[in-house]
Amino acid sequence: MSNKNSVFPPDFVWGVATSAFQIEGAHAADGKGPSIWDNFCAQPGAIADASNGDVACQHYLRWAEDLDMIAALGVNAYRFSVSWPRVQPAGSGAWNAKGLDFYERIVDGLLARGLQPHLTLNHWDLPAALQTSGGWANRDTVQHFVDYALGINARLGDRLASITTHNEPWVVAVLGHETGIFAPGIKSRKAAAQVSHHLLLSHGLALQALREQGARAKLGIVLNLAPMHPATDSPADLAQATLEDGRLLRWYLDPLFKGSYPADVLADLGGDAPVVEAGDLQAITAPMDFLGVNYYSHSVVSADKSYKAGSTGLTVTDMGWEVYPEGLTELLLRLKRDYPVPPLFVTENGGAFKDELVGDRVHDKARVDYLARHIEAVAEAMRQGVEMGGYMVWSLLDNFEWASGYEKRFGIVHVDYQTQQRRLKDSALWYRDFLQAQKTL
Ligand code: IFM
């Protein structure tokens, strides 16, 4: 895509993103094993609408139609994840040929349509069999993940544009193991800290092993990041914002780029700090080809948790997250300033809104505004010297939004869950036209 008047270079990656559990369905088809999310959804009260991923968007069946739709948007890339239990049902040992064949159809189908495949290995759906021996809290899972990464690369790596090890390790650690509102539903700060370390370690060891295997795809990790803004100038709010910055950002960025965990967060964890073995931190700093950033909002931090989103007049999405594109520019500049980062990609950005189907149309003006303003925020970071490789909208389709079930819609394509009909929302048409204009400006 070329546009001499645009800050975005011709080879800029423009994409849409999804993840396996959220769209595939076919939860037990063709030899797939259960994941921790299959089991979590079965727990009463775990999911807001008591739904699950059994059917989701039926992408496992409708993948060709979905890839045609992606191509028609005019993007040049698609970010998706592999369901580990679909390709290796027990998380170690035997591989499932039919599962691997599915992802091969996706990768080859993307290439046939002129789209770059960007593959994520772990978008949260850990094989349930591994959870029976402790899941990510067990150090053995690190080696199982490395073996899984090598198996995927051996089969598909020659055709992939990028491989992401983990999507949002903070979510797996904190929401999965500290607050317990996500699978596997554990409530232990100590477990969460150990899980975060094992995720980072498995990332570093997988990168090293993939490079030794001769990986051709670009290798990196995707973090969910948000600037932390104190609600007031009070010392308590300032101190809390600094600690939250440590827990969400520096806890991941420091080991990845500096080889150490931040002292303030370690002090706060006290006896809950993770066991870190000799050599672990060095492994975690394995050089990356890119860093993926998932950005949705900033966080306003008040020590007494009294701040109400939207109370300063900012629009709030259906997730209750403030629309704050300036925070994306701020974040990208901060990453460049504080860390020796490789090229940055916005690997997820988008909003859930209360969409209304009018005939065959969804006039999702709020989402159009959201996307336009955040793409402009990326452009502004680039004007200020940040090296950006791409931008991807979350999400291609309305899908299973984890503990919120199907109640929250992030798609630029509407999904009727009764009929599985897909309809392009105004935001999809806007994105298509925006990308077209990039070529011709
Ligand atoms: O749907 C999720 C996605 O799986 C990971 N990042 C945030 C999205 C919206 O909550």
Short mmCIF file of all heavy atoms in Angstrom, two decimals, residues 334-355:
data_model
loop_
_atom_site.label_atom_id
_atom_site.label_comp_id
_atom_site.label_asym_id
_atom_site.label_seq_id
_atom_site.Cartn_x
_atom_site.Cartn_y
_atom_site.Cartn_z
N ARG A 334 6.51 6.47 25.15
CA ARG A 334 7.16 6.02 26.39
C ARG A 334 7.96 4.73 26.15
O ARG A 334 9.08 4.56 26.68
CB ARG A 334 6.08 5.80 27.46
CG ARG A 334 6.59 5.46 28.86
CD ARG A 334 6.46 4.00 29.15
NE ARG A 334 6.96 3.60 30.46
CZ ARG A 334 6.21 3.29 31.49
NH1 ARG A 334 4.91 3.34 31.40
NH2 ARG A 334 6.76 2.91 32.63
N LEU A 335 7.39 3.80 25.36
CA LEU A 335 8.11 2.56 25.07
C LEU A 335 9.44 2.87 24.38
O LEU A 335 10.48 2.29 24.72
CB LEU A 335 7.25 1.64 24.19
CG LEU A 335 6.01 1.06 24.88
CD1 LEU A 335 5.13 0.33 23.87
CD2 LEU A 335 6.42 0.11 26.00
N LYS A 336 9.38 3.77 23.42
CA LYS A 336 10.61 4.14 22.71
C LYS A 336 11.61 4.83 23.64
O LYS A 336 12.81 4.61 23.56
CB LYS A 336 10.25 5.08 21.54
CG LYS A 336 11.46 5.65 20.79
CD LYS A 336 10.98 6.56 19.69
CE LYS A 336 12.03 7.59 19.28
NZ LYS A 336 13.18 7.01 18.62
N ARG A 337 11.08 5.65 24.54
CA ARG A 337 11.96 6.41 25.45
C ARG A 337 12.62 5.51 26.49
O ARG A 337 13.81 5.65 26.78
CB ARG A 337 11.11 7.48 26.14
CG ARG A 337 11.92 8.46 27.00
CD ARG A 337 11.00 9.28 27.90
NE ARG A 337 10.36 8.43 28.89
CZ ARG A 337 9.15 8.64 29.41
NH1 ARG A 337 8.42 9.65 29.00
NH2 ARG A 337 8.65 7.83 30.33
N ASP A 338 11.86 4.57 27.05
CA ASP A 338 12.34 3.83 28.21
C ASP A 338 12.97 2.47 27.90
O ASP A 338 13.62 1.89 28.78
CB ASP A 338 11.19 3.59 29.20
CG ASP A 338 10.77 4.88 29.90
OD1 ASP A 338 11.43 5.92 29.68
OD2 ASP A 338 9.78 4.84 30.65
N TYR A 339 12.75 1.95 26.70
CA TYR A 339 13.23 0.59 26.41
C TYR A 339 13.85 0.51 25.01
O TYR A 339 13.42 1.24 24.10
CB TYR A 339 12.05 -0.41 26.49
CG TYR A 339 11.45 -0.48 27.87
CD1 TYR A 339 10.31 0.28 28.19
CD2 TYR A 339 12.01 -1.28 28.86
CE1 TYR A 339 9.76 0.23 29.46
CE2 TYR A 339 11.45 -1.33 30.13
CZ TYR A 339 10.33 -0.58 30.43
OH TYR A 339 9.80 -0.62 31.69
N PRO A 340 14.80 -0.40 24.83
CA PRO A 340 15.39 -0.59 23.49
C PRO A 340 14.47 -1.48 22.64
O PRO A 340 14.81 -2.62 22.32
CB PRO A 340 16.72 -1.27 23.80
CG PRO A 340 16.47 -2.04 25.06
CD PRO A 340 15.44 -1.26 25.85
N VAL A 341 13.30 -0.93 22.29
CA VAL A 341 12.28 -1.77 21.66
C VAL A 341 12.57 -2.01 20.18
O VAL A 341 13.09 -1.14 19.48
CB VAL A 341 10.86 -1.16 21.80
CG1 VAL A 341 10.35 -1.34 23.21
CG2 VAL A 341 10.83 0.30 21.38
N PRO A 342 12.18 -3.20 19.68
CA PRO A 342 12.18 -3.43 18.22
C PRO A 342 10.98 -2.69 17.63
O PRO A 342 10.23 -2.04 18.37
CB PRO A 342 11.99 -4.96 18.15
CG PRO A 342 11.18 -5.29 19.36
CD PRO A 342 11.63 -4.32 20.44
N PRO A 343 10.76 -2.77 16.32
CA PRO A 343 9.56 -2.13 15.75
C PRO A 343 8.29 -2.54 16.50
O PRO A 343 8.15 -3.70 16.91
CB PRO A 343 9.54 -2.64 14.31
CG PRO A 343 10.98 -2.91 14.00
CD PRO A 343 11.60 -3.39 15.29
N LEU A 344 7.43 -1.57 16.71
CA LEU A 344 6.20 -1.80 17.47
C LEU A 344 5.02 -2.03 16.51
O LEU A 344 4.96 -1.40 15.45
CB LEU A 344 5.89 -0.59 18.35
CG LEU A 344 6.98 -0.20 19.35
CD1 LEU A 344 6.60 1.09 20.08
CD2 LEU A 344 7.20 -1.33 20.36
N PHE A 345 4.14 -2.91 16.90
CA PHE A 345 2.89 -3.13 16.17
C PHE A 345 1.75 -2.92 17.15
O PHE A 345 1.82 -3.43 18.27
CB PHE A 345 2.78 -4.58 15.66
CG PHE A 345 3.64 -4.87 14.47
CD1 PHE A 345 5.03 -4.91 14.56
CD2 PHE A 345 3.05 -5.12 13.24
CE1 PHE A 345 5.82 -5.19 13.45
CE2 PHE A 345 3.83 -5.39 12.12
CZ PHE A 345 5.21 -5.43 12.22
N VAL A 346 0.74 -2.19 16.75
CA VAL A 346 -0.51 -2.23 17.52
C VAL A 346 -1.21 -3.50 17.04
O VAL A 346 -1.68 -3.57 15.89
CB VAL A 346 -1.38 -0.98 17.30
CG1 VAL A 346 -2.74 -1.15 17.98
CG2 VAL A 346 -0.67 0.24 17.85
N THR A 347 -1.23 -4.51 17.89
CA THR A 347 -1.75 -5.82 17.48
C THR A 347 -3.24 -5.98 17.82
O THR A 347 -3.86 -6.93 17.38
CB THR A 347 -0.92 -6.93 18.13
OG1 THR A 347 -0.49 -6.51 19.42
CG2 THR A 347 0.29 -7.26 17.30
N GLU A 348 -3.75 -5.08 18.65
CA GLU A 348 -5.20 -5.03 18.91
C GLU A 348 -5.57 -3.60 19.27
O GLU A 348 -4.88 -2.95 20.06
CB GLU A 348 -5.61 -5.91 20.11
CG GLU A 348 -5.59 -7.39 19.85
CD GLU A 348 -6.05 -8.20 21.05
OE1 GLU A 348 -6.80 -7.66 21.91
OE2 GLU A 348 -5.65 -9.36 21.14
N ASN A 349 -6.69 -3.16 18.71
CA ASN A 349 -7.27 -1.88 19.09
C ASN A 349 -8.70 -1.87 18.55
O ASN A 349 -8.93 -2.22 17.40
CB ASN A 349 -6.45 -0.72 18.47
CG ASN A 349 -7.06 0.63 18.73
OD1 ASN A 349 -7.42 1.36 17.82
ND2 ASN A 349 -7.15 1.00 20.00
N GLY A 350 -9.63 -1.50 19.40
CA GLY A 350 -11.01 -1.47 18.97
C GLY A 350 -11.92 -1.24 20.16
O GLY A 350 -11.46 -1.06 21.28
N GLY A 351 -13.22 -1.24 19.89
CA GLY A 351 -14.15 -0.95 20.97
C GLY A 351 -15.40 -1.81 20.89
O GLY A 351 -15.87 -2.16 19.80
N ALA A 352 -15.92 -2.14 22.07
CA ALA A 352 -17.24 -2.78 22.14
C ALA A 352 -18.28 -1.67 22.30
O ALA A 352 -18.12 -0.79 23.16
CB ALA A 352 -17.30 -3.73 23.33
N PHE A 353 -19.28 -1.71 21.47
CA PHE A 353 -20.36 -0.73 21.57
C PHE A 353 -21.70 -1.46 21.42
O PHE A 353 -21.74 -2.58 20.91
CB PHE A 353 -20.21 0.35 20.48
CG PHE A 353 -18.96 1.19 20.64
CD1 PHE A 353 -17.81 0.90 19.91
CD2 PHE A 353 -18.93 2.24 21.55
CE1 PHE A 353 -16.65 1.65 20.08
CE2 PHE A 353 -17.78 3.00 21.73
CZ PHE A 353 -16.64 2.70 20.98
N LYS A 354 -22.76 -0.80 21.87
CA LYS A 354 -24.09 -1.41 21.78
C LYS A 354 -24.60 -1.26 20.36
O LYS A 354 -25.28 -0.30 20.02
CB LYS A 354 -25.05 -0.76 22.78
CG LYS A 354 -24.71 -1.10 24.22
CD LYS A 354 -25.94 -1.09 25.10
CE LYS A 354 -25.62 -1.41 26.55
NZ LYS A 354 -24.95 -2.70 26.76
N ASP A 355 -24.23 -2.19 19.50
CA ASP A 355 -24.59 -2.09 18.09
C ASP A 355 -26.06 -2.42 17.88
O ASP A 355 -26.63 -3.26 18.57
CB ASP A 355 -23.75 -3.09 17.27
CG ASP A 355 -22.27 -2.74 17.30
OD1 ASP A 355 -21.94 -1.55 17.35
OD2 ASP A 355 -21.45 -3.67 17.26
#
